[in-house]
Amino acid sequence: MDGKNTKLSYPLEKFNSDVSGRSFHNGRFIQRMREKAATLPNVRLEQGTVTSLLEEEGTIKGVQYKTRNGEEMTASAPLTIVCDGCFSNLRRSLCTPKVDVPSCFVGLILENCDLPFANHGHVVLADPSPILFYPISSTEVRCLVDVPGQKVPSIANGEMATYLKTVVAPQIPSQLYDAFIAAIDKGKIKTMPNRSMPANPLPTPGALLMGDAFNMRHPLTGGGMTVALSDIVVIRDLLRPIHDLNDATTLSKYLESFYTLRKPVASTINTLAGALYKVFCASSDQARKEMREACFDYLSLGGIFSNGPVSLLSGLNPRPLSLVLHFFAVAVYGVGRLFLPFPTPKRIWLGARLLSVSIFTSWLSIYNDTKIFFYSSVTVPILDNGCVCHPLFGKNVL
C-alpha cells in the first residue's frame, strides 16, 4: 500500500509440524480426493448430475440423478449429504439462502515469475479493491483481481484486457508486471462472482447441507477450504459413534448440533473475510481511508497484533471473542493515531467517524454470521473434535 509492505506468517510455534498453509489447483485437489475415496472398500463411486432430492413426508430419502448417458436414476440412503457448491440448485429446501455478490474475481495464471516473498500469498491493497497473488505450483502463480459489483468488463470485446492493463497493471509489484501482461495477452482470462451467504439451515430429516451450498464468505482470505475441511472433521466425529442411521428424525435432531459446533471456526473466518474486504477496498471517504491505513499499520506492528488476526483467518484460533477484541483494537489504534501529536476538532470528528465505521462494519459482519452461534450454543453436546485447523491459503503478505 503506497509502496509499503509487511510480511505476515502463521504463528505455528504451538502446533505440530504437519500444520501449515497450502495453496493449489482446486480442481486437481478435489479430483485427487475423489480418487482416494474411490479406493476404499466401503465406497462405491457413481457419477451423475443430481436433479432433485427424493422426499417422502418431510424426510429426504435420496436423490434423483442423470448419468453421463442421459439415463434417469435414483439413489436411496438414510442420510444424504448435499454439497453441490455455490450454484446449488438443491439448497432451497434445506436452508434459507440469502446470497450476496459484493464483487467478482478476474482470474489469471502467471507463469515463470517470482513473487516478492517466496511461498507466501500476497494481498495488494489496490484501487478500487484488493488483488491477490499466490503460488499454485513451482512455476505458476494465480492472480485474482477483485472487481466490485456484479458486472465486469467484457472479455469478448477486449474491455477486460484494457482494464487489466491500464487500471490494474500499474498497481501490481514490478517483478510481476511482465508475467501479468503476458497472461493477459495469452487470453486465458476467467471471471467468477464472489458470493457470501450466512449459514441459515432448515434442519431436515435424512439430509445434511455442507460446503458452499450451505455457507459462503468472501474469498479474499481463502478461507473456504479451511471451513469445509473443518466442517468435515466436525461431522465425522458426530457420525462416528452412530451405528444406525435409519431413524431419520432422531438422527436429524442429533445432527443439529453440527450447525453450532462448526460456528467457532466458521464464524471467525467468515466474519473476518467480510470485514477485511470492506476495510481493504479503496474509498473516497476519509474515515474509511484512515481505517484502511490503520488496519495495515496495525498488522505491521507484528507480535500479537499480526499473530492474532492471522491465527483467526487461518482457523488456528477459532474464538469469536478474540475477533471482536482485534476489531476494536484496530479502531482504537486508528483513533489514537489521529489524535497525535495533538487532537484538533477536525481530527476528533474524523476519529469519531472512524470509530463508527469500525463498529458498523464489524457488527454487521459479526451479526450476519454468528447469531445462530450465540442463540443456540447452550444446546451443544460436548465432544472432543481433535484438530480441526487446516490453514490452506499459504503464508500471507500485505
Side-chain angles (χ1 to χ4, degrees), residues 61-216:
K61 296 293 187 178
V63 298
Q64 182 172 345
Y65 68 98
K66 186 178 293 186
T67 66
R68 290 180 175 179
N69 299 325
E71 184 181 0
E72 291 282 353
M73 303 283 288
T74 61
S76 300
L79 178 62
T80 301
I81 296 179
V82 178
C83 46
D84 56 335
C86 63
F87 299 107
S88 172
N89 63 348
L90 304 175
R91 66 161 68 104
R92 290 193 175 277
S93 60
L94 304 176
C95 73
T96 305
K98 294 182 180 179
V99 180
D100 181 37
V101 184
S103 66
C104 298
F105 266 158
V106 178
L108 299 161
I109 293 182
L110 281 55
E111 298 179 331
N112 301 312
C113 60
D114 295 323
L115 288 164
F117 296 90
N119 301 318
H120 283 65
H122 292 61
V123 182
V124 179
L125 302 188
D127 186 356
S129 52
I131 306 166
L132 307 182
F133 296 93
Y134 56 96
I136 54 174
S137 76
S138 59
T139 60
E140 297 171 306
V141 171
R142 176 169 284 131
C143 170
L144 298 173
V145 179
D146 187 85
V147 178
Q150 300 182 24
K151 186 177 181 181
V152 298
S154 171
I155 296 176
N157 64 15
E159 288 181 1
M160 179 63 78
T162 301
Y163 174 81
L164 293 174
K165 288 181 178 180
T166 59
V167 177
V168 179
Q171 302 185 73
I172 69 173
S174 57
Q175 56 265 62
L176 300 176
Y177 183 87
D178 290 342
F180 184 76
I181 296 299
I184 298 171
D185 292 338
K186 202 170 183 179
K188 293 184 179 180
I189 304 171
K190 297 182 179 180
T191 62
M192 180 73 175
N194 292 328
R195 296 166 176 250
S196 62
M197 185 183 79
N200 195 5
L202 298 174
T204 304
L208 184 71
L209 190 61
M210 294 184 69
D212 282 350
F214 170 50
N215 182 207
M216 294 179 281

Side-chain angles (χ1 to χ4, degrees), residues 168-357:
V168 179
Q171 302 185 73
I172 69 173
S174 57
Q175 56 265 62
L176 300 176
Y177 183 87
D178 290 342
F180 184 76
I181 296 299
I184 298 171
D185 292 338
K186 202 170 183 179
K188 293 184 179 180
I189 304 171
K190 297 182 179 180
T191 62
M192 180 73 175
N194 292 328
R195 296 166 176 250
S196 62
M197 185 183 79
N200 195 5
L202 298 174
T204 304
L208 184 71
L209 190 61
M210 294 184 69
D212 282 350
F214 170 50
N215 182 207
M216 294 179 281
R217 76 291 308 148
H218 196 283
L220 172 67
T221 59
M225 190 62 75
T226 305
V227 172
L229 293 179
S230 175
D231 284 354
I232 289 170
V233 172
V234 173
I235 197 64
R236 178 202 67 187
D237 291 344
L238 282 173
L239 291 175
R240 179 171 281 162
I242 298 177
H243 302 291
D244 182 9
L245 300 176
N246 290 293
D247 188 344
T249 302
T250 301
L251 178 64
S252 177
K253 290 181 179 179
Y254 174 70
L255 290 181
E256 282 185 32
S257 60
F258 162 73
Y259 300 117
T260 305
L261 287 168
R262 69 182 296 275
K263 274 292 172 179
V265 172
S267 290
T268 51
I269 293 175
N270 294 350
T271 303
L272 194 56
L276 282 179
Y277 178 70
K278 291 181 177 69
V279 171
F280 283 168
C281 284
S283 174
S284 58
D285 184 277
Q286 189 60 36
R288 291 189 175 275
K289 286 182 179 180
E290 290 290 342
M291 189 65 189
R292 190 189 199 198
E293 293 181 11
C295 187
F296 179 89
D297 291 342
Y298 180 88
L299 293 171
S300 301
L301 293 173
I304 62 171
F305 306 105
S306 62
N307 288 347
V310 170
S311 63
L312 286 165
L313 69 85
S314 63
L316 294 171
N317 177 25
R319 294 185 178 90
L321 180 58
S322 181
L323 177 65
V324 173
L325 292 175
H326 280 287
F327 269 139
F328 286 100
V330 171
V332 171
Y333 174 75
V335 172
R337 294 187 335 150
L338 287 172
F339 286 2
L340 296 175
F342 56 87
T344 64
K346 182 179 179 180
R347 287 172 176 266
I348 292 172
W349 170 242
L350 185 56
R353 292 194 58 238
L354 187 155
L355 197 59
S356 68
V357 166

